[in-house]
Amino acid sequence: ALGTPYPYGLTPPQALLDDLTHIKSSAEHQLRVVNDLLDLSRAEIDELDLYLELLDPRQLFQDAFNSIAHSASGSTVTWQLQLPDRLPLVQADPVRLRQILLNLLSNARKFTDQGTVVLGAQVEPPNLHLWVQDTGEGISPLMQERIFEPFVTAEHTSRKLDGIGLGLSITRRLVALHNGSMKLDSQPGRGSTFHVYLPLPNLADKTAPVTEPTQ
């Protein structure tokens, strides 16, 4: 119903478009929750596998960012994508890397009512450093490790939270399976930045391929 051109031969009123977009966003959120539950059960028996390939991270970053930023259109939050002109290819599972990005971006959207959400990336040998930064409520020092535990969410008395507290737990597991690492910088009232470091392949080869910027 949200396809372009509209499949019914007429332009729906804006109120209907808003409702359909909300339904679509809610269904995507429910799918992520179900997938997180399945991934957690696989991880508990060491069956959370990766299918690695040499891939172009730039396009994947753009697609994941646009997916979440588009669903948040109409809010008072400014979404920014900060990527260099050239990025190296990385050895990663494209489905899982997209899941990492979507979980971090969805988490930022959940806790940010105004200000900015930024997805950025840069090369910091021997890693590709990517981060999701928000100007949301921030996380207390006591909770900064606990939020990575299954079924734990950050405690904010000012809002009722959706979700069941699996996204960050699964995200850290997926980063570790890529032989990467994850770090959190946050202060209450000043927002949060989640840093992900993924190892670059073929570091001995100084002519490692890079992706060209897309138009």
Side-chain angles (χ1 to χ4, degrees), residues 8 30 33 69 99 120 123 127 208:
Y8 301 107
Q30 184 180 34
V33 170
Q99 186 177 359
V123 177
N127 298 307

Side-chain angles (χ1 to χ4, degrees), residues 58-77:
R58 168 177 272 277
Q59 189 62 52
L60 192 149
F61 290 171
Q62 290 176 331
D63 291 345
F65 176 84
N66 290 335
S67 174
I68 299 297
H70 178 73
S71 68
S73 61
S75 72
T76 58
V77 177

Side-chain angles (χ1 to χ4, degrees), residues 11-192:
T11 301
Q14 187 58 48
L16 177 57
L17 287 176
D18 291 342
D19 289 343
L20 291 173
T21 300
H22 180 70
I23 291 170
K24 180 175 182 289
S25 177
S26 297
E28 290 171 345
H29 172 73
Q30 184 180 34
L31 179 60
R32 287 195 295 271
V33 170
V34 171
N35 286 335
D36 283 345
L37 283 168
L38 293 173
D39 286 342
L40 179 64
S41 64
R42 294 188 188 104
E44 292 298 324
I45 59 173
D46 294 325
E47 291 293 337
L48 189 55
D49 298 324
L50 299 184
Y51 298 93
L52 300 176
E53 60 183 74
L54 198 62
L55 58 86
D56 174 356
R58 168 177 272 277
Q59 189 62 52
L60 192 149
F61 290 171
Q62 290 176 331
D63 291 345
F65 176 84
N66 290 335
S67 174
I68 299 297
H70 178 73
S71 68
S73 61
S75 72
T76 58
V77 177
T78 300
W79 290 75
Q80 299 178 1
L81 182 62
Q82 298 178 355
L83 300 179
D85 290 338
R86 289 150 56 98
L87 283 174
L89 301 180
V90 296
Q91 193 81 19
D93 181 324
V95 174
R96 296 305 190 179
L97 182 54
R98 176 180 171 85
Q99 186 177 359
I100 289 170
L101 295 169
L102 291 178
N103 282 347
L104 293 178
L105 289 167
S106 296
N107 186 73
R109 178 181 61 181
K110 185 191 308 181
F111 291 104
T112 307
D113 293 325
Q114 59 184 356
T116 59
V117 173
V118 178
L119 170 61
Q122 64 185 21
V123 177
E124 297 179 6
N127 298 307
L128 175 64
H129 174 203
L130 62 98
W131 64 89
V132 174
Q133 180 181 41
D134 67 65
T135 57
E137 299 185 13
I139 302 167
S140 70
L142 293 177
M143 290 295 297
Q144 289 184 19
E145 181 60 29
R146 288 203 61 214
I147 60 170
F148 292 103
E149 299 174 8
F151 304 108
V152 174
T153 59
E155 298 175 354
H156 295 283
T157 58
S158 61
R159 66 172 71 215
K160 179 180 178 181
L161 298 179
D162 55 2
I164 56 177
L166 284 179
L168 292 177
S169 176
I170 295 298
T171 297
R172 186 157 73 169
R173 289 175 184 261
L174 291 175
V175 171
L177 286 173
H178 281 87
N179 295 317
S181 61
M182 192 170 173
K183 184 179 73 170
L184 168 63
D185 291 327
S186 184
Q187 294 184 32
R190 296 188 178 183
S192 303

